[in-house]
Amino acid sequence: MRKRTLLALAGAATALTVAAAVPSAAAGSAVLTTGSTGGTAAAVGDTLTAPLAAGTSATLYSSATGTSGVSCTTSQFTATVADNPAAPGTATESVTGHSFDASSCTSNVTGVLGVSSIVVDNLPYTATVTSAGTLTVSPPSGSTIQTTVKLRTLLGSVTCVYRAASLTGTASNSDSSIAFTNQQFTKFSGSSLCFANGYFTAKYAPVTDAGARLYVN
């Protein structure tokens, strides 16, 4: 059997940011509102959170069309509203946390026994969402989006570090979700068991502000 290498679940990146978007802005509303489109404006300083959408997994595969890599069923992000202008416009959040429960992660790569930990580095990140629903996650100036993954393998513990310049996702008001599809990470350091490239896919929903669903206008 051909020996495969593994890619760590990258920063998922750090999935981060806000909730859903609509094709056009609700008149007189802020970009981010709670309860409904055109609802109450999310206040600067509010904390936004979201788990993985029910029944989905966050995956990091060795290719955009492959199924070899790591899959996790428990992950969550936390962000703080930094700017929420009138719609149409662009809201800004500070991504302060992005976690993966390693006990929920599995791998189908030969030689890998399990995932010890997945840590998103270099936080906080800056996340923006436009009224059109485009999400962009960026690292601090001079830094990168980075995730460190520790794996249990037949050869012992292996550490894989992956980096990306930025992440791009989409938002939907239908379920207050944000989604990332095949976002590419490149191996920065690690053994031959670490993939050279990894493709991150995940959907987070619902995004909430103090328990109320978040919408993009």
Side-chain angles (χ1 to χ4, degrees):
M1 178 181 292
R2 182 169 61 90
K3 189 173 183 179
R4 297 181 178 179
T5 55
L6 171 66
L7 177 37
L9 205 84
T14 230
L16 302 317
T17 65
V18 297
V22 290
S24 59
S29 68
V31 174
L32 303 179
T33 59
T34 60
S36 65
T37 56
T40 303
V44 171
D46 281 2
T47 298
L48 313 179
T49 60
L52 286 176
T56 70
S57 298
T59 60
L60 191 63
Y61 290 148
S62 60
S63 70
T65 58
T67 58
S68 176
V70 171
S71 177
C72 297
T73 58
T74 302
S75 177
Q76 178 171 298
F77 79 78
T78 303
T80 301
V81 178
D83 187 31
N84 188 20
T90 300
T92 304
E93 298 87 30
S94 176
V95 180
T96 56
H98 189 232
S99 63
F100 294 86
D101 182 353
S103 67
S104 77
C105 301
T106 59
S107 173
N108 60 357
V109 177
T110 301
V112 175
L113 304 177
V115 179
S116 298
S117 65
I118 299 174
V119 178
V120 178
D121 305 310
N122 301 335
L123 292 170
Y125 299 144
T126 297
T128 60
V129 59
T130 70
S131 291
T134 300
L135 299 168
T136 304
V137 180
S138 304
S141 178
S143 184
T144 61
I145 291 176
Q146 178 175 297
T147 295
T148 300
V149 178
K150 293 186 177 181
L151 309 170
R152 300 189 306 275
T153 77
L154 294 173
L155 301 177
S157 180
V158 171
T159 299
C160 305
V161 178
Y162 293 91
R163 289 180 172 180
S166 63
L167 300 174
T168 301
T170 57
S172 172
N173 278 343
S174 63
D175 54 1
S176 292
S177 67
I178 58 172
F180 296 87
T181 303
N182 288 331
Q183 295 298 290
Q184 185 175 3
F185 287 82
T186 301
K187 184 178 76 171
F188 174 72
S189 64
S191 78
S192 60
L193 285 177
C194 306
F195 292 143
N197 292 285
Y199 295 82
F200 175 72
T201 297
K203 179 180 180 179
Y204 290 82
V207 181
T208 60
D209 178 350
R213 288 196 175 194
L214 194 71
Y215 295 83
V216 176
N217 302 272

